[in-house]
Amino acid sequence: MIRVLIADDQPLVRRGLALILGPDPEFEVVGEAEDGARAVALARELRPDVVVMDIRMPVLDGVQATEELARTLPSTRVLALSTFDMDEYVVAALRAGAYGFLPKDISPEELIAAVRIVHTGEAAVAPRLLTRLISAYVRTPVRPRSWAAETPADLTPRELEIWRLLAGGRGNAEIALDLDISVSTVKNHITGIFGKLGVRDRAQAVIAAYESGLVEAGCASG
């Protein structure tokens, strides 16, 4: 069973999310929080597997709450929610440690699927949406963070090519087709890229590509 904590400042939204997840025997909604500070406190108490976290909340916003949970409860994974598809706070949340992002107008089926995905440790963000978000809000290269490579020279030419395609919004199957290799080979390369960059998932790998200057805003495909 996947234990879920819901954090949103609107009671109606919290109740709606609980009514979507609660009846499914795969999920247990263990608590609800009305702000980021309460979400952190409840997560420490209840140890949920996944926190469905609104990005914009009072007291402590969802980005700060995500950063605190990533630092103190790394086994608890955050799925960020936003009213808007294109939201600079989403990039900040992904950088802070969120495993995925959903706009609030998603279907119940999409919510359920995303919670399952982040529970497994994968990133629940559509590749092209992720690329559009980061292209919009990571404008210029900055000094790489601790999880970003100091230089892409550590990567092999093939790994660099795959990293660039990944950052351009290509899914694994599309990368495999572009390079005429198998999907399993692409996955193996991506695992190696994550290790060399020191990133946890696809979202952070894309952010690292923009921050390192490998990909520039407006140059991504799709």
Side-chain angles (χ1 to χ4, degrees):
M1 183 174 287
I2 302 172
R3 293 164 52 80
V4 181
L5 173 66
I6 296 170
D8 195 288
D9 61 334
Q10 299 180 39
L12 190 61
V13 173
R14 294 198 304 271
R15 182 52 25 205
L17 295 172
L19 287 173
I20 291 171
L21 297 171
D24 192 313
E26 187 176 357
F27 303 104
E28 179 186 5
V29 177
V30 296
E32 299 179 18
E34 67 277 8
D35 60 59
R38 181 64 175 156
V40 171
L42 279 179
R44 288 172 176 165
E45 176 187 346
L46 301 171
R47 302 299 173 110
D49 300 304
V50 176
V51 178
V52 180
M53 179 90 73
D54 185 23
I55 292 298
R56 299 173 184 252
M57 290 188 293
V59 184
L60 190 71
D61 67 32
V63 175
Q64 294 171 299
T66 296
E67 188 171 21
E68 180 66 16
L69 290 177
R71 184 178 65 83
T72 61
L73 292 176
S75 63
T76 294
R77 290 159 181 160
V78 173
L79 174 61
L81 291 180
S82 174
T83 304
F84 307 103
D85 284 358
M86 297 296 288
D87 188 343
E88 60 189 302
Y89 282 75
V90 173
V91 175
L94 293 169
R95 186 184 281 118
Y99 274 76
F101 156 69
L102 290 176
K104 286 187 177 179
D105 61 356
I106 45 87
S107 69
E109 293 77 17
E110 288 171 316
L111 173 66
I112 288 170
V115 173
R116 287 174 178 151
I117 289 170
V118 299
H119 180 247
T120 67
E122 298 293 328
V125 188
R128 283 187 171 78
L129 175 58
L130 175 64
T131 301
R132 285 197 297 119
L133 276 166
I134 295 170
S135 178
Y137 296 113
V138 181
R139 292 296 185 185
T140 56
V142 298
R143 183 176 180 80
R145 295 174 179 270
S146 60
W147 45 258
E150 291 298 323
T151 170
D154 293 338
L155 302 177
T156 67
R158 176 48 61 90
E159 287 172 336
L160 194 62
E161 187 175 21
I162 290 174
W163 186 25
R164 184 178 289 109
L165 289 171
L166 182 157
R170 291 285 200 272
N172 290 354
E174 293 172 306
I175 294 173
L177 186 63
D178 287 346
L179 301 181
D180 194 25
I181 57 178
S182 70
V183 173
S184 61
T185 299
V186 172
K187 290 180 179 178
N188 289 337
H189 279 304
I190 288 176
T191 298
I193 292 166
F194 288 178
K196 290 182 179 181
L197 295 178
V199 303
R200 189 198 57 217
D201 57 31
R202 199 179 199 95
Q204 291 189 345
V206 176
I207 293 172
Y210 277 87
E211 291 191 331
S212 71
L214 177 74
V215 178
E216 295 180 1
C219 295
S221 61

